[in-house]
Amino acid sequence: MTPLRFKDAMSQQYYATAPASTSAKAQRSDWWRDAVIYQVYPRSFADSNGDGMGDLEGIRTRLPYLRDLGVDAVWLSPFYASPQADGGYDVADYRAVDPMFGNLLDADALIRDARALALRIIVDLVPNHSSDQHEWFRRAVEEGPGSPLRDRYHFRPGKGESGELPPNDWESIFGGPAWTRVADGEWYLHLFAPEQPDFNWEHPAVGDEFRSILRFWLDMGVDGFRIDVAHGLVKAEGLPDLGSHEQLKLLGNDVMPFFDQDGVHEIYRQWRLILDEYSGERVFVAEAWTPTVERTANYVRPDELHQAFNFQYLSTAWDAEELRGVVNRTLEAMRPVGAPATWVLSNHDVTRHATRFANPPGLGTQIRTAGDRELGLRRARAATLLMLALPGSAYIYQGEELGLPDVVDLPDEVRQDPAYFRGAGQDGFRDGCRVPIPWTREGSSYGFGGGGSWLPQPAHWGELSIEAQTGDPSSTLELYRTALATRRTQPDLGAGDSVEWLRAPEGVLAFRRGEFVCVANTSGESVTTPAYGRLLLASGEVAEVDGDAKVPADTTVWWTTA
Ligand code: GLC
């Protein structure tokens, strides 16, 4: 494949030749079924004006890099007008771009340029809550009890003699009570930060407003939406106490009175009708943390959303048995509803997988220790090749193609994750995966922009940069490029809805999909397997002798029998 050539790294121009099949794939009406979707966290991708904060123009100028990486679509985390109490997931105006990221013209230019490069654009939609600076909420507070605008949120009198206690026992995901009291004595619900009041989806104005917001961005030309907290919009009637339930058991067996209520599905059925009015096969992907993959499948029934993130997969250890289990359960759950499985290892809310796998399993998805970095990277590379070999659609989080670790030693004074402050420093380590990515070996903010960076980058960032890794066949970036190029040329990769498991030593996953065979060794030791065909790609050094392959520990191998 054609390596990316740096004409002039500091001028932020990246040149290469597009993979030949790019356009053909982009034209397919079911492009999303096996799409590889790249998540851009706009604050941290590229800064065009040197203010230390990434922006839309920065993203636009780097689109050729994403095209050459070989992804099909780009999902942008929120760039809307926002006081940034939660990195933009607190939206004050859903139809405006925050000046820190640019303006609507920049959004338009980005969408147009992406289309010219055959890249789809998916934007984030945040319907569970607004910012406390949203006009509706500001007026609701100003107008006092009885204001009709209070009905668009969840305002309630408190419990206790003088209403001094919250209306129920729910806790915020970010720590502390899920209720905050306003000056006149009423309380309002916020499942996240106090600056993120939850909408009341029983109120018709809320639904009308979001249908209109959908049309606004569809008219702007976006190809789809990632729906934030898609499982949270509807609350159980009467907002009942949790009582003895364990709080926030997102992936356990319980259905919470504020999550995964059956009523959410009616909302998505209505949204689907709107989306289908628009040409060009546009899509919805749900961020739905549900107890089981079977419950996740409810979001992607044929008349609802197209995809839902597979957080069960993201939460699985680097362990063959567990991985086989979650792959089977996912494929079985998706088959009856006809939706593609999705696979994801990293995003802006969890510790990067290079760091997760560097640590012992069982620490959850927010980890504060660097662990064994070499081991973590080896496993991360192997895990990525496994993910990209599974049927369905895969999500890549910016910087994982560089093998970036989490930055675990950010000083407390630079942290911005609201959960860090509400959890009294016990939680909220999401800043570690949000550090601006390195583009160049040297230079201010390693090519992120012409100035500083809103979170400090570690000293070793330059060695991990796109510039440093480009053209080095052993680099993680070239592994991703080759893997994605291979995925485009091997029809069996990504397509279909099943895998045929092959017999394999303990701790090893082996499966066939048509003419394609994938082996992933999680056993911690080198193993010998048959050399299944022509070696396509491996995440480590594989030696083949007399029809056998020696697969080192924490390595994934792709073969074709064609
Ligand atoms: C989603 C986002 C996360 C945000 C939360 C509240 O989980 O991914 O970043 O903090 O919703 O909007």
Side-chain angles (χ1 to χ4, degrees):
M1 64 173 297
T2 317
L4 186 82
R5 276 183 287 120
F6 269 70
K7 186 180 178 213
D8 172 4
M10 295 315 289
S11 79
Q12 305 181 354
Q13 296 297 314
Y14 301 89
Y15 298 89
T17 315
S21 54
T22 302
S23 310
K25 174 138 191 231
Q27 298 309 324
R28 266 180 29 208
S29 67
D30 61 350
W31 64 272
W32 48 277
R33 288 194 163 267
D34 59 354
V36 177
I37 300 173
Y38 184 99
Q39 180 189 359
V40 165
Y41 192 65
R43 294 170 144 240
S44 304
F45 188 68
D47 167 19
S48 73
N49 60 2
D51 65 355
M53 184 62 74
D55 46 46
L56 294 185
E57 180 60 9
I59 301 168
R60 191 186 67 76
T61 59
R62 310 292 172 106
L63 286 173
Y65 165 73
L66 297 177
R67 188 266 319 261
D68 296 339
L69 182 60
V71 300
D72 303 299
V74 180
W75 148 37
L76 302 166
S77 279
F79 49 79
Y80 314 110
S82 161
Q84 304 288 323
D86 182 21
Y89 283 94
D90 48 319
V91 181
D93 184 345
Y94 290 85
R95 297 180 185 81
V97 173
D98 196 279
M100 112 188 345
F101 297 121
N103 55 37
L104 278 177
L105 287 176
D106 296 323
D108 180 59
L110 171 57
I111 294 165
R112 282 173 198 277
D113 276 25
R115 175 155 316 135
L117 294 171
L119 285 170
R120 307 259 179 172
I121 294 285
I122 293 174
V123 293
D124 224 303
L125 186 73
V126 189
N128 180 66
H129 45 263
S130 70
S131 158
D132 62 349
Q133 297 307 307
H134 189 283
E135 198 201 338
W136 287 4
F137 190 78
R138 274 197 295 111
R139 282 179 44 209
V141 172
E142 273 160 32
E143 289 172 16
S147 158
L149 285 168
R150 289 204 176 190
D151 299 340
R152 298 181 188 189
Y153 294 90
H154 296 280
F155 278 85
R156 293 281 185 287
K159 282 187 177 158
E161 254 170 48
S162 51
E164 73 282 8
L165 298 172
N168 72 17
D169 66 356
W170 298 359
E171 281 177 17
S172 145
I173 316 291
F174 292 160
W179 296 89
T180 288
R181 202 174 191 191
V182 294
D184 54 57
E186 283 201 339
W187 297 74
Y188 66 89
L189 176 70
H190 52 87
L191 291 181
F192 294 88
E195 296 87 353
Q196 294 168 294
D198 280 52
F199 282 116
N200 172 17
W201 271 85
E202 303 296 319
H203 195 295
V206 174
D208 289 349
E209 173 66 355
F210 273 92
R211 285 189 292 273
S212 154
I213 294 165
L214 282 177
R215 289 187 188 282
F216 178 87
W217 287 101
L218 288 166
D219 291 339
M220 284 281 290
V222 303
D223 296 289
F225 300 89
R226 174 261 188 194
I227 304 166
D228 189 61
V229 197
H231 53 305
L233 277 48
V234 173
K235 276 72 180 175
E237 199 168 338
L239 310 183
D241 277 338
L242 267 173
S244 60
H245 281 66
E246 199 183 317
Q247 289 265 1
L248 309 181
K249 202 166 153 202
L250 296 174
L251 297 177
N253 296 311
D254 288 341
V255 177
M256 297 290 159
F258 41 77
F259 278 161
D260 199 29
Q261 296 292 307
D262 290 338
V264 293
H265 298 292
E266 185 47 37
I267 298 170
Y268 302 135
R269 283 188 203 106
Q270 291 177 17
W271 288 11
R272 180 62 182 261
L273 293 175
I274 294 178
L275 203 76
D276 287 349
E277 285 174 27
Y278 286 78
S279 62
E281 194 80 2
R282 309 190 199 197
V283 296
F284 284 121
V285 54
E287 185 215 20
W289 290 84
T290 66
T292 59
V293 271
E294 290 73 24
R295 298 246 2 145
T296 304
N298 289 340
Y299 290 74
V300 288
R301 288 177 281 201
D303 57 348
E304 293 191 41
L305 309 176
H306 297 75
Q307 294 186 346
F309 292 114
N310 188 345
F311 293 122
Q312 274 82 7
Y313 185 71
L314 183 149
S315 312
T316 302
W318 179 239
D319 174 278
E321 268 313 298
E322 289 184 34
L323 286 163
R324 198 179 354 246
V326 74
V327 168
N328 281 337
R329 282 197 303 281
T330 303
L331 294 173
E332 276 160 27
M334 295 301 148
R335 213 169 286 131
V337 290
T342 67
W343 313 101
V344 59
L345 291 164
S346 283
N347 65 33
H348 66 295
D349 288 330
V350 298
T351 301
R352 287 181 175 280
H353 62 286
T355 298
R356 272 208 325 278
F357 294 142
N359 280 283
L363 297 181
T365 53
Q366 281 189 43
I367 299 174
R368 279 171 258 169
T369 45
D372 178 342
R373 265 187 64 187
E374 210 184 297
L375 176 70
L377 180 59
R378 207 165 56 234
R379 288 181 173 170
R381 291 163 53 101
T384 296
L385 281 202
L386 171 62
M387 169 175 91
L388 292 175
L390 293 169
S393 179
Y395 281 80
I396 294 177
Y397 175 51
Q398 68 178 36
E400 70 167 76
E401 77 276 23
L402 306 176
L404 292 188
D406 248 47
V407 181
V408 291
D409 55 359
L410 285 172
D412 292 349
E413 58 275 15
V414 303
R415 290 186 186 282
Q416 300 208 6
D417 184 348
Y420 180 76
F421 304 102
R422 293 190 46 92
Q426 297 305 304
D427 203 352
F429 289 87
R430 296 181 301 170
D431 294 311
C433 64
R434 299 174 178 179
V435 174
I437 63 169
W439 292 80
T440 54
R441 274 203 185 88
E442 315 270 340
S444 71
S445 62
Y446 302 105
F448 163 64
S453 82
W454 68 279
L455 284 172
Q457 299 158 303
H460 65 273
W461 233 216
E463 299 153 29
L464 298 174
S465 64
I466 289 152
E467 180 184 30
Q469 296 198 35
T470 292
D472 171 0
S474 68
S475 74
T476 302
L477 177 56
E478 294 299 353
L479 180 73
Y480 270 73
R481 286 188 176 137
T482 310
L484 293 173
T486 307
R487 212 177 131 103
R488 283 173 184 275
T489 53
Q490 295 286 319
D492 290 328
L493 271 162
D497 63 0
S498 61
V499 299
E500 179 199 338
W501 296 108
L502 303 174
R503 242 179 23 173
E506 208 181 317
V508 177
L509 286 175
F511 59 87
R512 185 189 296 282
R513 310 201 36 237
E515 292 173 336
F516 173 82
V517 174
C518 176
V519 168
N521 178 7
T522 74
S523 73
E525 286 165 14
S526 138
V527 294
T528 301
T529 70
Y532 283 98
R534 182 166 58 83
L535 186 71
L536 283 171
L537 188 60
S539 66
E541 293 285 324
V542 174
E544 291 189 344
V545 184
D546 297 336
D548 279 344
K550 199 164 168 214
V551 181
D554 304 311
T555 300
T556 297
V557 192
W558 290 1
W559 282 282
T560 177
T561 55

